[in-house]
Amino acid sequence: MRIVSGKYKGRRIDPPKKFPSRPTTDMAKEGLFNILTNQIDWEDVKVLDLFAGTGNVSVEFLSRGAKSVLSVDKHPICIKHLNALQETFADENWMILRKDVFQLIDNAQQKFDLIFADPPFNLKGLNQLPDLILKSGLLDQGGIIVIEHGQEVSFEEHPNLTDSRKYGGVFFSFFS
């Protein structure tokens, strides 16, 4: 995986073999960030990356100049990898939290301008994720939620869905 744009452009992220999460492909990530770049002033955005996994998307947010990024994952191997990446990139705007995403949502303490979630595609309750986030108070006024998911899930009927895009076998659904 490579960083597509910004101050870390071209740098690679290589998680260890048998990593427990599915990384967002470079093609899908590039499409996602092309959409977001037209909607966001990166220097002012506070980002929450749920199910952060490889850190690929978190570093892309940082590379583009996000004000802050909080990466959340509960898997110990993911957290170990994220902490190693944090040391490598030494970006003071990046925080990593080992926590269950649903516990974080239930106990919302902060507000974010952009919430990106890349849960396991077979996650139980994935369909309820937008509503849980919207009701939690995590999203700041005028903020955006992006959920990466497979074709098995559709948010087409959700009242807060603003856009949906497909890149290969991956979908991004946008909510506000």
Side-chain angles (χ1 to χ4, degrees), residues 2 11 17 65 82 99-100 103 122 126 147 152-153 159:
R2 66 180 171 77
R11 302 233 348 231
K17 301 249 186 274
L82 289 168
K99 190 169 187 101
D100 178 81
Q103 288 177 351
N122 63 352
L126 176 58
I147 298 181
E152 309 79 26
V153 175

Side-chain angles (χ1 to χ4, degrees), residues 9-97:
K9 181 179 180 178
R11 302 233 348 231
R12 295 194 54 80
I13 294 176
D14 296 313
K17 301 249 186 274
K18 298 185 182 178
F19 198 73
S21 76
R22 169 200 38 76
T24 302
T25 66
D26 288 349
M27 179 190 79
K29 184 175 63 169
E30 190 166 0
L32 169 66
F33 278 87
N34 285 340
I35 294 166
L36 291 175
T37 296
N38 292 319
Q39 301 176 25
I40 292 175
D41 181 9
W42 290 111
E43 291 79 33
D44 296 329
V45 71
K46 293 184 347 186
V47 178
L48 175 60
D49 184 1
L50 301 174
F51 308 96
T54 65
N56 177 26
V57 175
S58 291
V59 175
E60 192 73 49
F61 285 124
L62 291 165
S63 183
R64 291 167 188 259
K67 185 177 185 177
S68 67
V69 176
L70 174 59
S71 302
V72 180
D73 206 298
K74 73 175 184 179
H75 200 288
I77 293 173
C78 294
I79 292 298
K80 183 178 179 183
H81 173 70
L82 289 168
N83 285 331
L85 273 182
Q86 188 179 41
E87 283 184 29
T88 299
F89 286 94
D91 196 309
E92 64 188 28
N93 298 322
W94 192 12
M95 293 180 27
I96 296 165
L97 179 63

